[in-house]
């Protein structure tokens, strides 16, 4: 009798909150983890302001967050060795432990046993928080309800800022189905950071619709609703025939007040946030999108309600919106930054940074080295801020709350690529784009995950870290999805990281705005393009006009030629690499090889005619 048990373990006030929800599965779930984790106290977080305030205060009382000078601002530190997603110890649990390419799997019963052993009595003496959310807009076709159990007030607080609260939805809808998340930060050290990192585990149980994270605090591991949920929704989307993607969602302002919406998939630290936050356009979401076919139209929503963004490099000139949010008395959690006299500082903020303070390594001074002898920068490269979307002046609030989502005009794929792709290219069609753009993303690695930086890595749809299903099935679903649509979104590839012969950057940070404006015009059939072996490229005249109109900059033919030269040998090498990847995987849709082969053929023919490095003017 779960309710009887819960009545024993919860105080009267908390019990009343749970009793209001009629959901046997919820009772069982909560009972089970109270029993296993054995907290000394349980707090049920409803949608009320009071409950939210309670959580915020707990984060301070338990010293997981500390107040900064600006009202509303707090700082949280993760353990020095717990600063990014732990891919090594993240497992997708499958009943037979079948081989899933690029995914670390574990046999379900073994994984569940391992994680549950770690969870036993892990919350002794601690408070358990139970929270209710909706991924995607509440009570919409996109809604995926979720329940989080955590012993971290910091994580509970973060989620209250990042997701749509949905206790009320659970009350109104008896027996609602939901995703389940269990997190414990485990034992803490004197700085209140997770101590037993050798026992850090993240397990995704697809069959049980549950994800677990233990002995870690870093939000990418622990915020159940974010990346753990993402792995569950990728699986759900596959089963139900829609797309759950690692994509921002933004509106681009076109002529005469028109707005066209785009999603964009980029690996971490490759310009995703800076694209959707670009000045003058409309932000809807910065990380995760659900895309569904509604009456033959692709429609998209932001899964989340806030931003967990990288703070390194955020400066007044390049990121005015984020900068302003971070300098206003809004509720903001800074994580793994440098704090000096109650003020947060981060790398490359464009201001002088004091040579002492406290950061993710503890007391810090300029030149301090870590155990491995590496010099510790003021803030961690993956230091972040957590903020609600509603603080952002560039937010498209209507789009964020639209239950029917927004009509998706285009999908953008990008990676960190110094030598192969041009700055922007439009695919010939959905299938060509899915295969030669999205499924061919390669990116030079960054600091968002533990491990070496600067290595070129295949990263299909920028989703590889989160994939929970077979790549072949994933691609098949993608290809099918486009076929169902009357007018599928156009697919574009961008590359902000292209370099010239001497290693110099070929583009400036703001150029991406021009590519967006060009995409909008393409979507509406208002500019022509040149047809090349890899897709449609912009014409010089159109870009020159856009550079002038939008950025008031002269754009030279020389720049255009350098940026948009078709680098045939590099593109052919890339096709080889990508083909090899797919050849090594069993069950890949045949369209993948067809598109790659055809592109290779087009490139080889062009090479015969024009040579290795082909000026875009040759295609006029
Ligand atoms: C990413 O790395 O893609 C992020 C941050 O969005 S994390 O939450 O760590 O996944
Ligand atoms: Mn992300």
């Amino acid at each position: 009798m779960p309710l009887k048990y819960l009545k024993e373990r919860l105080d009267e006030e908390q019990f009343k909150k749970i009793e209001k929800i009629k959901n046997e599965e919820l009772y069982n779930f909560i009972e089970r983890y109270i029993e296993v984790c054995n907290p000394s106290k349980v707090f049920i977080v409803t949608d009320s302001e009071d409950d939210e305030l309670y959580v915020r205060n707990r984060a301070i009382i338990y010293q997981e967050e500390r107040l900064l000078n600006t009202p509303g601002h707090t700082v949280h530190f993760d353990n020095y060795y717990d600063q990014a997603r732990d891919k090594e110890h993240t497992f997708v649990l499958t009943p037979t432990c079948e081989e899933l390419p690029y995914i670390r799997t574990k046999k379900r019963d073994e994984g569940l046993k391992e994680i549950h052993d770690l969870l036993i009595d892990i919350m002794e003496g601690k408070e358990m928080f139970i929270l209710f959310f909706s991924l995607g807009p509440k009570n919409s076709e996109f809604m995926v309800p979720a329940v989080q159990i955590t012993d971290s007030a910091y994580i509970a607080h973060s989620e209250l800022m990042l997701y749509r609260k949905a206790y009320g939805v659970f009350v109104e809808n008896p027996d609602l189905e939901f995703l389940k998340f269990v997190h414990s930060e485990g034992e803490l050290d004197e700085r209140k950071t997770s101590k037993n990192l050798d026992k850090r585990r993240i397990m995704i149980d697809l069959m049980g619709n549950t994800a677990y994270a233990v002995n870690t605090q870093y939000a990418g591991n622990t915020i159940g609703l974010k990346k753990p949920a993402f792995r569950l929704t990728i699986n759900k989307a596959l089963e139900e025939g829609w797309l759950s993607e690692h994509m921002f969602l933004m509106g681009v302002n076109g002529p005469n007040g028109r707005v066209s919406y785009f999603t964009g998939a980029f690996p971490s630290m490759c310009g995703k946030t800076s694209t959707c936050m670009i000045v003058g356009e409309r932000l809807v979401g910065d990380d995760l999108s659900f895309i569904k076919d509604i009456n033959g139209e692709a429609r998209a929503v932001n899964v989340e309600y806030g931003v967990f963004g990288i703070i390194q490099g955020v400066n007044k000139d390049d990121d005015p919106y984020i900068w302003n949010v971070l300098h206003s008395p809004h509720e903001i959690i800074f994580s793994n930054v440098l704090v000096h006299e109650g003020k947060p500082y981060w790398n490359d903020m464009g201001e002088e940074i004091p040579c002492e303070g406290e950061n993710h390594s503890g007391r810090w001074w300029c030149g301090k080295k870590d155990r491995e002898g590496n010099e510790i920068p003021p803030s961690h490269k993956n230091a972040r801020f957590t903020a609600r979307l509603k603080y952002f002046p560039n937010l498209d609030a209507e789009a964020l709350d639209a239950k029917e989502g927004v009509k998706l005009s285009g999908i953008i794929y990008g990676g960190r690529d110094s030598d192969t792709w041009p700055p922007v290219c439009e695919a010939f069609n959905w299938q060509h784009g899915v295969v030669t753009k999205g499924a061919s993303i390669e990116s030079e690695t960054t600091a968002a995950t533990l491990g070496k930086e600067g290595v070129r890595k295949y990263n299909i749809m920028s989703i590889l870290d989160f994939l929970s299903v077979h790549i072949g099935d994933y691609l098949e679903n993608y290809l099918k999805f486009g076929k169902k649509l009357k007018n599928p979104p156009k697919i574009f590839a961008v590359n902000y990281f292209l370099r010239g012969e001497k290693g110099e950057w070929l583009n400036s940070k703001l150029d991406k705005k021009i590519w967006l404006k060009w995409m909008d015009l393409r979507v509406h059939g208002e500019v022509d393009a040149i047809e090349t072996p890899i897709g449609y490229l912009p014409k010089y005249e159109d870009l020159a006009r856009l550079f002038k109109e939008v950025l008031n900059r002269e754009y030279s033919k020389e720049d255009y030629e350098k940026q948009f030269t078709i680098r045939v040998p590099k593109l052919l090498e890339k096709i080889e690499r990508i083909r090899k990847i797919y050849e090594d995987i069993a069950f890949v849709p045949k369209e993948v090889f067809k598109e790659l082969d055809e592109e290779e053929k087009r490139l080889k023919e062009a090479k015969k005619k024009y040579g290795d490095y082909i000026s875009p003017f040759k295609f006029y």
Side-chain angles (χ1 to χ4, degrees):
M1 267 322 281
L3 265 182
K4 187 159 164 278
Y5 179 81
L6 290 177
K7 195 161 189 168
E8 275 166 28
R9 295 291 305 244
L10 269 54
D11 68 34
E12 202 183 324
E13 197 186 335
Q14 306 311 315
F15 180 73
K16 275 193 190 144
K17 295 181 191 169
I18 269 303
E19 205 188 18
K20 275 205 185 138
I21 301 175
K22 307 292 176 216
N23 193 322
E24 204 67 30
E25 181 152 353
L26 176 72
Y27 301 155
N28 288 328
F29 174 55
I30 296 177
E31 172 186 328
R32 173 153 192 221
Y33 289 97
I34 290 176
E35 215 172 348
V36 173
C37 304
N38 201 15
S40 63
K41 213 172 157 186
V42 178
F43 188 80
I44 309 292
V45 188
T46 70
D47 300 343
S48 77
E49 284 296 314
D50 281 354
D51 283 4
E52 200 167 320
L53 191 62
Y54 177 88
V55 170
R56 274 199 333 246
N57 286 335
R58 290 285 122 176
I60 302 295
I61 290 166
Y62 295 140
Q63 295 171 42
E64 280 191 85
E65 289 175 41
R66 267 177 282 155
L67 299 174
L68 295 171
N69 293 345
T70 306
H73 290 197
T74 56
V75 64
H76 163 82
F77 293 113
D78 297 304
N79 188 298
Y80 188 73
Y81 297 97
D82 191 27
Q83 295 285 320
R85 278 185 276 109
D86 182 0
K87 293 205 263 185
E88 185 89 0
H89 296 101
T90 301
F91 298 94
V92 172
L93 306 182
T94 62
T96 53
C97 195
E98 75 247 38
E99 282 276 314
L100 289 175
Y102 294 93
I103 304 175
R104 293 179 78 81
T105 55
K106 224 183 230 287
K107 206 158 181 260
R108 182 167 185 257
D109 46 9
E110 278 166 26
L112 288 178
K113 169 144 191 351
E114 185 181 341
I115 201 90
H116 284 88
D117 284 350
L118 290 171
L119 284 170
I120 293 173
D121 292 336
I122 200 165
M123 297 185 190
E124 238 173 21
K126 293 182 80 177
E127 182 163 6
M128 174 190 274
F129 300 90
I130 302 178
L131 306 104
F132 303 83
F133 296 102
S134 163
L135 296 173
K138 284 199 267 184
N139 299 316
S140 76
E141 190 162 330
F142 294 90
M143 173 170 81
V144 179
V147 175
Q148 171 86 55
I149 292 179
T150 178
D151 59 3
S152 164
Y154 155 67
I155 290 305
H157 180 200
S158 300
E159 289 192 329
L160 289 167
M161 295 168 77
L162 294 174
Y163 299 92
R164 297 164 173 99
K165 296 191 276 188
Y167 168 82
V169 177
F170 278 79
V171 172
E172 287 152 22
N173 298 277
D175 297 319
L176 196 62
E177 272 183 41
F178 59 98
L179 305 181
K180 307 178 181 81
F181 301 97
V182 181
H183 164 244
S184 174
E185 56 196 8
E187 220 182 310
L188 302 181
D189 60 16
E190 63 293 344
R191 299 188 65 223
K192 305 298 172 193
T193 73
S194 292
K195 195 168 158 182
N196 301 322
L197 298 180
D198 57 324
K199 299 194 185 83
R200 176 171 54 197
R201 296 289 180 278
I202 299 102
M203 305 243 185
I204 317 295
D205 174 22
L206 300 180
M207 252 179 99
N209 267 323
T210 308
Y212 305 86
V214 184
N215 292 312
T216 169
Q217 280 166 315
Y218 174 67
N221 295 325
T222 57
I223 293 191
L225 285 276
K226 201 171 183 70
K227 294 310 179 1
F230 186 31
R231 296 173 176 102
L232 298 177
T233 57
I234 289 172
N235 182 54
K236 188 174 164 65
L238 181 76
E239 281 170 3
E240 298 171 1
W242 47 279
L243 303 177
S244 171
E245 294 298 311
H246 193 208
M247 289 176 175
F248 68 61
L249 177 56
M250 73 179 298
V252 174
N253 294 308
N256 307 318
R258 169 178 85 204
V259 187
S260 312
Y261 291 93
F262 292 83
T263 54
F266 298 65
S268 314
M269 298 189 172
C270 294
K272 191 168 162 198
T273 305
S274 62
T275 305
C276 63
M277 294 275 183
I278 203 159
V279 175
E281 310 302 340
R282 296 162 175 251
L283 170 68
V284 188
D286 79 316
D287 198 33
L288 299 168
S289 297
F290 288 160
I291 306 172
K292 288 198 169 183
D293 155 22
I294 299 180
N295 302 324
E297 200 170 81
R299 299 196 68 93
V301 296
N302 179 4
V303 174
E304 308 180 284
Y305 221 47
V307 179
F308 174 60
I310 291 177
I311 201 163
Q312 171 162 307
V314 169
N315 68 75
K316 220 192 266 153
D317 299 326
D318 295 328
D319 316 279
Y321 299 133
I322 303 179
W323 182 268
N324 285 337
V325 169
L326 297 184
H327 288 81
S328 308
H330 294 307
E331 194 180 339
I332 291 165
I333 309 173
F334 293 83
S335 52
N336 307 316
V337 295
L338 173 70
V339 178
H340 177 70
E341 294 179 348
K343 194 172 169 293
Y345 296 87
W346 52 90
N347 307 341
D348 310 324
M349 68 191 292
E351 271 184 18
E352 203 177 321
I353 299 178
C355 244
E356 56 174 337
E358 183 175 355
N359 73 1
H360 56 295
S361 73
R363 196 172 75 76
W364 177 85
W365 55 92
C366 282
K368 183 181 178 186
K369 294 208 164 99
D370 66 13
R371 240 194 266 154
E372 289 74 31
N374 302 314
E375 191 165 322
I376 304 170
S379 65
H380 191 272
K381 283 183 185 164
N382 196 29
R384 296 204 172 231
F385 64 90
T386 303
R388 288 170 213 272
L389 270 163
K390 70 171 184 202
Y391 304 149
F392 287 82
N394 51 329
L395 175 71
D396 186 334
E398 221 174 284
L400 179 65
D401 286 330
K403 285 194 173 40
E404 66 289 1
V406 291
K407 176 176 187 284
L408 190 58
S409 293
I411 295 180
I412 307 166
Y413 297 109
R416 188 174 285 263
D417 165 10
S418 51
D419 58 14
T420 307
W421 272 357
V424 63
C425 177
E426 179 192 325
F428 294 124
N429 53 50
W430 179 264
Q431 182 169 301
H432 176 246
V434 168
V435 175
T436 69
K437 310 296 181 215
S440 299
I441 294 179
E442 290 178 300
S443 194
E444 290 146 29
T445 49
T446 67
T449 58
L450 307 172
K452 217 174 146 206
E453 282 176 57
V455 184
R456 176 153 32 199
K457 280 203 170 148
Y458 158 75
N459 193 346
I460 178 172
M461 315 296 179
S462 306
I463 211 173
L464 197 63
D465 282 1
F466 313 104
L467 213 54
S468 54
V469 298
H470 191 283
I471 285 186
D473 296 335
Y474 173 76
L475 273 173
E476 187 171 44
N477 181 49
Y478 229 106
L479 292 168
K480 263 197 208 150
F481 183 78
K483 287 197 185 117
K484 289 190 290 193
L485 302 169
K486 279 184 224 137
N487 183 17
K490 275 189 186 295
I491 293 183
F492 299 92
V494 294
N495 177 16
Y496 304 154
F497 301 92
L498 190 66
R499 293 176 190 257
E501 277 164 12
K502 297 183 199 76
E504 74 285 11
W505 298 114
L506 289 187
N507 290 98
S508 78
K509 283 187 186 173
L510 275 183
D511 292 5
K512 51 173 89 74
K513 184 154 175 115
I514 304 303
W515 318 147
L516 290 170
K517 296 294 189 196
W518 181 75
M519 290 179 211
D520 166 69
L521 296 175
R522 285 296 294 163
V523 162
H524 296 276
E526 290 167 8
V527 276
D528 220 354
I530 54 172
E531 193 176 328
T532 77
I534 59 171
Y536 300 113
L537 295 188
K539 289 187 136 173
Y540 169 70
E541 308 81 87
D542 297 317
L543 292 185
R545 178 173 59 82
L546 285 171
F547 268 101
K548 188 76 201 157
E549 273 174 24
V550 179
L551 298 178
N552 194 23
R553 251 171 55 192
E554 300 303 328
Y555 182 60
S556 71
K557 280 191 172 153
E558 290 69 38
D559 279 350
Y560 170 73
E561 197 161 24
K562 269 194 227 160
Q563 293 164 10
F564 288 92
T565 284
I566 302 287
R567 303 172 175 213
V568 179
K570 293 286 172 195
L571 287 157
L572 286 174
E573 280 167 28
K574 181 181 172 79
I575 291 179
E576 289 276 329
R577 289 194 299 271
I578 300 295
R579 188 193 285 119
K580 174 88 180 68
I581 285 169
Y582 288 113
E583 275 169 358
D584 287 348
I585 299 172
F587 322 119
V588 172
K590 57 181 185 320
E591 291 91 334
V592 171
F593 299 106
K594 180 176 168 280
E595 289 296 338
L596 292 175
D597 292 349
E598 284 176 10
E599 183 135 315
E600 183 177 53
K601 199 165 150 242
R602 287 191 299 269
L603 281 164
K604 284 185 172 161
E605 274 163 17
K607 182 179 146 123
K608 248 194 240 154
K609 220 161 145 190
Y610 304 115
D612 278 348
Y613 289 80
I614 311 174
S615 159
F617 289 114
K618 287 274 192 300
F619 297 100
Y620 264 58

